[in-house]
Amino acid sequence: MVSILRRSPKLLNSICRRRFSASSDGNLTSHGGKSMNLYSAINQALHIALETDPRSYVFGEDVGFGGVFRCTTGLVDRYGKDRVFNTPLCEQGIVGFGIGLAAMGNRAIAEIQFADYIYPAFDQIVNEAAKFRYRSGNQFNCGGLTIRAPYGAVGHGGHYHSQSPEAFFCHVPGIKVVIPRSPYQAKGLLLSCIRDQNPVVFFEPKWLYRLAVEEVPEHDFMLPLSEAEVIREGSDITLVGWGAQLSVMEQACIDAEKDGISCELIDLRTLIPWDKETVEASVKKTGRLLISHEAPVTGGFGAEISASIVERCFLRLEAPVSRVCGLDTPFPLVFEPFYMPTKNKILDAIKATVKY
């Protein structure tokens, strides 16, 4: 990955120009801690999880040496090979093992190396983990299972290292789906997921692993699940997104403001179960809604948000709900810039929706 970036300086520059902010006022947030990037925040959360719960385990492909994104660096040295260990290249086996481990009362933190390869584990997640508690009448469960997976575009990943499969899992009752936008959010949300009483799929925006930097408290803290955050207040249109797309949407909000359009930007954070009330309150105020995500537009989670808000806010809408998403094609390689929901695409949609 690093070598590819070095061979593509224009690509690296375009990635670095993606502005990052975790705050509601557009500035880099200070949370009174150590400055770190997103992968370091993930690593610190895993250290805390293992330190505070002796029945927690981290496992997956190559996690023993730190993983391809270095998120598990130093864990095996500190906590030993019995609690941090490599697995065979078998995603179905990784998740299946995690279900059994969690069913015995442990905290199982499974890593899928890329979200693109989570599909072999689909049956284990959908038909086993999600239904474990329900089919037993709550006599047993695997609520201690957390599945981490890097997702989304990275600038050079092509078909098999760039996908955003979150919508597949949002159709499954019994699991939670969480996606952070920043280092602070990643640490607090991951610790909440690990300690939650339900199985969780935690997608990490790999584009931000090293680009997103902010101050993160080094102590143990958690952020609430199923609670969206208004990170930019506005009055003309509501924008909803999650993960790495928030930074792109924020750029569009800033440019729209130059044209006199006031945008309210909401980070959903938890996709299932999602915070309908926060989005509904915002849309009733602005009268307009735009949703943006990297996944293909058809069947994406933006469609569920759109349908729910139309049901709840129909008489308050001043324009049709707009979706700016990935295209209905396999994720491309050289044509990635055309596929991505860019700042200019979002800005055009904002203007069109406000002028409707």
Side-chain angles (χ1 to χ4, degrees):
M1 178 179 299
V2 175
S3 61
I4 295 175
L5 285 174
R6 287 173 178 167
R7 292 196 299 269
S8 307
K10 291 183 179 179
L11 174 60
L12 181 59
N13 288 336
S14 68
I15 293 173
C16 292
R17 283 197 298 270
R18 290 183 65 156
R19 185 176 180 274
F20 167 74
S21 172
S23 66
S24 58
D25 61 2
N27 297 315
L28 191 65
T29 303
S30 174
H31 296 287
K34 181 180 179 181
S35 179
M36 65 180 70
N37 56 25
L38 194 142
Y39 96 84
S40 298
I42 294 290
N43 180 262
Q44 195 173 89
L46 294 174
H47 270 282
I48 291 173
L50 291 165
E51 181 73 31
T52 57
D53 189 347
R55 300 196 68 180
S56 59
Y57 299 84
V58 173
F59 51 94
E61 299 166 11
D62 300 323
V63 300
F65 78 85
V68 294
F69 294 105
R70 315 310 294 162
C71 292
T72 56
T73 299
L75 296 181
V76 70
D77 295 333
R78 184 166 180 179
Y79 303 103
K81 295 182 179 180
D82 290 337
R83 298 182 62 199
V84 182
F85 47 88
N86 294 333
T87 65
L89 274 66
C90 177
E91 288 77 15
Q92 184 178 20
I94 293 171
V95 175
F97 173 78
I99 292 170
L101 193 63
M104 298 303 294
N106 301 291
R107 293 291 171 190
I109 308 167
E111 178 181 304
I112 302 298
Q113 199 166 83
F114 286 87
D116 311 61
Y117 300 124
I118 201 170
Y119 303 115
F122 197 75
D123 178 65
Q124 289 293 317
I125 298 171
V126 173
N127 279 330
E128 301 298 336
K131 297 174 174 63
F132 219 80
R133 188 193 308 272
Y134 184 83
R135 71 181 186 183
S136 71
N138 201 30
Q139 293 184 65
F140 49 86
N141 68 83
C142 60
L145 174 65
T146 301
I147 303 167
R148 296 178 42 248
Y151 89 101
V154 71
H156 56 268
H159 313 328
Y160 301 116
H161 297 85
S162 307
Q163 297 176 54
S164 299
E166 65 270 14
F168 289 106
F169 301 97
C170 291
H171 190 63
V172 183
I175 62 174
K176 295 185 178 182
V177 178
V178 179
I179 305 179
R181 74 175 186 272
S182 72
Y184 174 78
Q185 297 288 324
K187 179 179 177 180
L189 290 172
L190 179 55
L191 284 170
S192 294
C193 291
I194 292 170
R195 293 162 177 169
D196 194 78
Q197 297 303 308
N198 300 278
V200 182
V201 181
F202 187 81
F203 288 113
E204 300 166 7
K206 57 181 176 285
W207 200 314
L208 301 182
Y209 269 142
R210 287 166 174 77
L211 293 179
V213 179
E214 65 179 335
E215 289 186 2
V216 179
E218 295 189 81
H219 60 77
D220 186 346
F221 72 94
M222 297 189 296
L223 295 175
L225 302 181
S226 297
E227 186 175 306
E229 182 182 2
V230 178
I231 59 177
R232 184 185 184 92
E233 294 188 354
S235 58
D236 295 326
I237 184 172
T238 299
L239 279 70
V240 175
W242 50 87
Q245 193 62 15
L246 266 298
S247 64
V248 182
M249 299 172 75
E250 187 173 38
Q251 294 176 46
C253 290
I254 293 170
D255 284 0
E257 190 174 33
K258 298 175 183 177
D259 292 328
I261 301 174
S262 176
C263 301
E264 183 146 299
L265 180 60
I266 298 177
D267 178 9
L268 211 55
R269 300 200 292 188
T270 302
L271 273 65
I272 290 293
W274 63 288
D275 184 359
K276 296 180 182 179
E277 290 72 24
T278 295
V279 178
E280 177 185 358
S282 177
V283 174
K284 285 184 175 179
K285 177 178 68 174
T286 66
R288 303 173 182 88
L289 174 62
L290 183 152
I291 308 152
S292 184
H293 54 69
E294 290 183 18
V297 61
T298 300
F301 193 64
E304 173 62 27
I305 298 173
S306 175
S308 295
I309 293 303
V310 168
E311 290 173 354
R312 290 167 169 249
C313 305
F314 182 74
L315 295 178
R316 303 293 289 271
L317 289 172
E318 300 289 344
V321 175
S322 178
R323 288 180 291 159
V324 183
C325 308
L327 304 180
D328 287 333
T329 70
F331 200 100
L333 184 57
V334 295
F335 294 120
E336 179 175 311
F338 300 98
Y339 173 94
M340 293 292 288
T342 61
K343 179 197 72 172
N344 288 337
K345 291 180 182 179
I346 296 171
L347 183 60
D348 289 344
I350 290 173
K351 293 178 179 179
T353 302
V354 171
K355 294 177 181 178
Y356 180 82

